[in-house]
Amino acid sequence: MKVTVLPVLAVSVLLAALVTVTAVSTATVDGFAPGGGATLGVTTGVAWALAVAAFLLLLLVRGRAALILVLAGSAALGVAALAGPPNLSTDSARYAWDGIVQNHGVSPYAHVPASDALEQYRVPWLFPAPADGADGGERCAGSRTEQTTSIPSGGTLCTALNRPHVPTIYPPVAEGFFAAVRAVVPDDAEYLPLQIAGLLLSSATTVLLVLGMRRRGLDVRWAAVWGWSPFVAAEAVTNSHVDALGVFLIVAATFAAAPVSGSARNGLSRGRAVLAGVGIGLAMATKFVPVIAAPPLARRRPVGVGASAVLTFALTYVPYVAITGWSVLGYLPGYLSEEGYDSGSRFALLSGVLPGAAATVVAAALILAVLIASWWFADPAQPWVAQVVSVGAVLLIASPAYPWYALVLVPFIALSRRWEWLVVPLALSVRTLVPGGAGATLVILAAAVFAGGATVVRWRRRPTRPPATTLEPASLTKETP
């Protein structure tokens, strides 16, 4: 017991510092204001350094103390991330709007937010009134407010929503989530309800990881990679991205497919295959990104897992198709075009060496090859090893402009202990805070070289037999002498 006292104390101090930095930064730094991104970059760097130091010291702690630190640290960091409004993304404003109109009986796919047909539902915090400008015209004030026009009246419209002239992009499970969160609060409740929902989801994922890892004889201390992550706190809680729901569902699907310690290594019952497929389908219907983690889960029963996933995904669309028709596709095609995926300009590792659409074709071929390989080579007993490599590789190839897409990668880093893939969310965050130019491309390239090189080294050094787990499932619930 005496051996662990100092590490426990040191970890607690570092976690307290991490929580303080997160709370102060979230409460005081506006990433939308001039220079705000650079300031957030500095505070985020400090938070990452504290989290890494705390985790390294956590590896010196065993027994129940380690488990308590993981869970308490995750909860405390999540609460700290509630200290201010979203600071780098306006997505949660759109989430709130979609939830509000649904709770008034309007399909979110039926009208664009700028439509005059929805004028009666516009709340001041999402649609502030324009002010009189010096030139006598109307203008919109505020760092997170944009000026546009209503449709079809053409009047000045101030809004906190992004893309107010296009239909929603979000799939049905996400829309149901938005409606559920907003149903229990008044329309004038601002960002906090969705942030609290993000806190609950991120904390639930930490608990799910701990429980699933214990049952499979994995070292639960690695759950802190998710629970103590400044990246998760910022994107799942402060900016409250719905990706956190998709992450929870795909992790649940992973545990449904992976055997527990002591079970038959090659066995996957039909019932568990269906459960895994349902989890995949719901995750896809929350946001399409989690599907890249799905192929390794279908290694044993591809038909059962795949069929239940497709059926679940399709069924989630039925109520919205019945109400709105095929407009439920929303803005997805336009989004892909806007982000440069059809022109090939989005792919940081390819667009500089391949002309135009050729980058898109090569990227699509590479992504398909990665997904097929992740299914073919996956170990059904530990699918997270294939998942972390495939999800990380796809993110590097696609190089999205939005770092929160990498939330789905973090749990599989924890499960596989492939810490080198943390460079992916870090690189995408740097790219967002310092956007554009060759520097952003070099950051993605450096991340690809580091993570890819480390993966090759691990592969070359792999043991001829599957390694024994580091800790027995119960070893972190008892004090060790």
Side-chain angles (χ1 to χ4, degrees), residues 3-4 6-15 18 47-62 66 69-70 219-226 228-230 413 417-420 422 458:
V3 177
T4 64
L6 288 179
V8 167
L9 180 60
V11 170
S12 300
V13 170
L14 287 169
L15 284 177
L18 172 61
W48 273 82
L50 290 169
V52 169
F55 177 74
L56 292 176
L57 286 173
L58 178 68
L59 297 179
L60 302 176
V61 182
R62 300 175 68 87
L69 284 170
V70 170
D219 187 341
V220 300
R221 292 173 297 189
W222 280 77
V225 170
W226 168 271
W228 297 358
S229 171
I413 297 173
R417 299 197 293 178
R418 300 301 196 259
W419 58 266
E420 61 270 14
L422 282 170
R458 285 184 184 274

Side-chain angles (χ1 to χ4, degrees), residues 448-474:
V449 170
F450 181 81
T455 298
V456 170
V457 169
R458 285 184 184 274
W459 180 78
R460 289 175 64 88
R461 293 181 176 178
R462 71 193 188 284
T464 55
R465 293 177 163 184
T469 53
T470 303
L471 296 170
E472 292 300 319

Side-chain angles (χ1 to χ4, degrees), residues 142-194:
S143 59
R144 64 183 70 234
T145 303
E146 69 171 88
Q147 182 168 328
T148 185
T149 56
S150 291
I151 300 174
S153 65
T156 300
L157 183 67
C158 302
T159 181
L161 278 64
N162 56 46
R163 302 182 180 91
H165 284 181
V166 301
T168 191
I169 192 175
Y170 300 103
V173 171
E175 292 295 345
F177 172 73
F178 305 152
V181 172
R182 297 300 309 187
V184 296
V185 296
D187 289 352
D188 57 1
E190 299 188 10
Y191 296 101
L192 190 59
L194 280 162

